């Protein structure tokens, strides 16, 4: 089974702490996973940042919300125990504890949810967030992904409508920012008459002894680049007597094109529109960082 959204963990967390007395958060993660029958694969699944498991993240957020609502408390670092209000919630509360319910029964949690000022104008936003059933970390990551997807789509659309020369120079800049290219002429655009079927070259060493050639093709995003284009590029690489090539397009590659690239006895890397968008954003080509949000967490060593 997939890991449930984090609100599903709140009652099991509350119940296990009630049954076992003071318990360490890290021990609680295993206990609740056993209670919910999560598989080893579920338990090992990592959040997108890769610094903790999704299971630990959701148990920790469930515990945080229960503490903010006064149903759990932390008598010492990383230890949880139930309060009288928590025991009352187990007896008379719903089978599924949610953020919306915690807001109804706990004024302190309502203040926490709406912000320190308790601004009532934010109530609708909080309700929408609660309905999404995401932890704050997950909500931030989801919003970031949506922004990147929209930005990537716009970047590719603009490249499709730009001139061929502009697109070729964009790919050159991207490759250089990715760390490819050495020497005075790290990478050059060769597009135009007499380019012998390639659009640019990247020097992998200072003297340009080892080189990679690239092909940059602008197509509408609904078009699939076929195997013929790959064979043409392969032929161009053979004329240059090189073994490495990069084929970049704003469109996508057909299955036959990908199979052709795998079978050719030259190393040809394929970058389609979706991957191109991710790389442009990652290496800040054609876009820039507008805002940076810092998310802080407790420094446990400080409290030792």
């Amino acid at each position: 089974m997939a890991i449930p959204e984090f609100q599903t963990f709140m009652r099991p967390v509350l119940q296990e702490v009630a049954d076992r007395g003071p318990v360490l958060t890290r021990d609680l993660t295993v206990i609740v996973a056993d209670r919910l029958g999560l598989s080893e694969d579920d338990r090992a699944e990592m959040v997108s940042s890769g610094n903790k498991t999704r299971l630990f993240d959701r148990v920790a957020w469930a515990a945080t919300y229960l503490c903010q609502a006064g149903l759990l408390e932390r008598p010492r670092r990383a230890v949880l125990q139930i309060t009288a209000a928590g025991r009352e919630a187990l007896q008379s509360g719903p089978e599924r504890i949610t953020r919306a319910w915690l807001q109804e029964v706990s004024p302190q949690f309502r203040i926490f949810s709406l912000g320190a000022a308790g601004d009532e104008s934010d109530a609708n936003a909080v309700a929408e967030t609660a309905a999404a059933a995401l932890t704050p970390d997950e909500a931030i990551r989801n919003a970031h992904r949506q922004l990147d997807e929209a930005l990537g789509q716009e970047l590719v659309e603009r490249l499709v409508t730009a001139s061929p020369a502009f697109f070729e120079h964009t790919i050159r800049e991207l490759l250089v920012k990715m760390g490819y290219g050495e020497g005075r002429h790290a990478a050059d655009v060769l597009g135009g008459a007499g380019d012998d079927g390639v659009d640019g070259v990247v020097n992998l060493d200072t003297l340009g002894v080892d080189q990679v050639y690239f092909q940059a093709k602008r197509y509408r995003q609904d078009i699939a680049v076929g195997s013929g284009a790959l064979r043409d590029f392969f032929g161009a690489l053979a004329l240059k007597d090189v073994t490495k090539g990069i084929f970049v397009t704003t469109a996508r590659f057909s299955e036959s094109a990908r199979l052709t690239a795998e079978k050719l006895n030259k190393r040809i890397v394929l970058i389609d529109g979706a991957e191109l968008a991710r790389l442009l954003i990652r290496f800040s080509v054609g876009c820039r960082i507008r805002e940076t949000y810092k998310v802080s967490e407790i420094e446990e060593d400080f409290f030792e």
Side-chain angles (χ1 to χ4, degrees):
M1 62 176 288
I3 296 182
E5 52 88 9
F6 93 100
Q7 292 180 113
T8 302
F9 285 88
M10 285 204 274
R11 188 175 182 95
V13 164
L14 191 62
Q15 187 66 64
E16 291 296 341
V17 176
D19 293 344
R20 297 172 184 271
V23 59
L24 289 168
T25 305
R26 65 171 181 268
D27 295 338
L28 185 63
T29 300
V30 177
I31 294 167
V32 172
D34 290 341
R35 182 186 184 97
L36 295 177
L38 299 181
S39 68
E40 290 303 317
D41 287 343
D42 292 334
R43 299 174 194 225
E45 181 182 337
M46 305 296 289
V47 298
S48 58
S49 63
N51 63 352
K52 56 188 170 183
T53 64
R54 192 173 302 280
L55 171 64
F56 179 85
D57 184 58
R58 293 190 175 175
V59 169
W61 274 109
T64 294
Y65 276 54
L66 291 169
C67 286
Q68 292 292 340
L71 307 187
L72 292 179
E73 61 184 1
R74 291 188 173 93
R76 56 188 185 276
R77 184 174 68 85
V79 173
L80 295 165
Q81 72 179 20
I82 197 166
T83 64
R87 294 191 183 280
E88 175 64 25
L90 287 174
Q91 293 178 359
S92 59
E95 283 301 308
R96 175 179 166 81
I97 295 176
T98 64
R99 285 191 291 194
W101 183 78
L102 292 177
Q103 282 184 311
E104 292 179 6
V105 300
S106 172
Q108 68 193 65
F109 183 79
R110 182 170 179 78
I111 293 172
F112 165 75
S113 295
L114 297 177
D119 188 351
E120 292 294 331
S121 67
D122 289 337
N124 290 336
V126 171
E128 290 175 2
T129 302
L134 299 174
T135 69
D137 280 351
E138 291 170 333
I140 290 173
R141 287 192 291 269
N142 280 356
H144 183 265
R145 186 181 66 252
Q146 291 171 12
L147 288 170
D148 274 1
E149 288 175 353
L151 173 59
Q153 180 70 20
E154 184 174 357
L155 282 169
V156 173
E157 288 175 354
R158 292 202 179 198
L159 289 174
V160 169
T161 59
S163 69
F166 182 87
F167 184 48
E168 291 161 3
H169 282 277
T170 298
I171 300 308
R172 174 201 176 278
E173 183 175 351
L174 172 62
L175 293 173
V176 171
K177 281 200 171 185
M178 289 173 67
Y180 293 96
E182 290 283 346
R184 182 177 178 182
H185 297 287
D188 290 309
V189 171
L190 305 175
D195 64 9
D196 294 326
V198 296
D199 292 323
V201 59
V202 179
N203 294 326
L204 299 182
D205 58 79
T206 303
L207 297 178
V209 175
D210 192 13
Q211 296 178 317
V212 173
Y213 284 84
F214 66 85
Q215 183 74 281
K217 292 297 185 185
R218 297 173 310 122
Y219 297 112
R220 294 196 322 270
Q221 295 175 65
D222 60 329
I223 290 177
V225 176
S227 57
L230 269 294
R231 286 192 290 268
D232 290 343
F233 186 46
F234 174 82
L237 295 179
L239 289 174
K240 299 291 185 182
D241 196 25
V242 295
T243 59
K244 306 181 188 76
I246 303 171
F247 196 117
V248 187
T249 181
T250 52
R252 59 186 178 86
F253 293 99
S254 68
E255 186 61 28
S256 63
R258 293 188 179 278
L259 290 174
T260 298
E262 291 175 5
K263 292 177 180 178
L264 296 175
N265 62 354
K266 296 185 185 297
R267 174 61 171 159
I268 298 179
V269 175
L270 304 182
I271 300 177
D272 62 12
E275 179 64 15
L276 175 60
R278 287 191 289 270
L279 292 172
L280 291 170
I281 294 171
R282 177 180 175 185
F283 293 95
S284 298
V285 176
C287 59
R288 59 184 173 83
I289 296 174
R290 183 181 65 190
E291 290 182 277
T292 300
Y293 297 92
K294 294 183 178 180
V295 180
S296 300
E297 63 182 6
I298 290 291
E299 176 52 68
E300 297 291 358
D301 292 344
F302 180 84
F303 295 95
E304 289 291 345

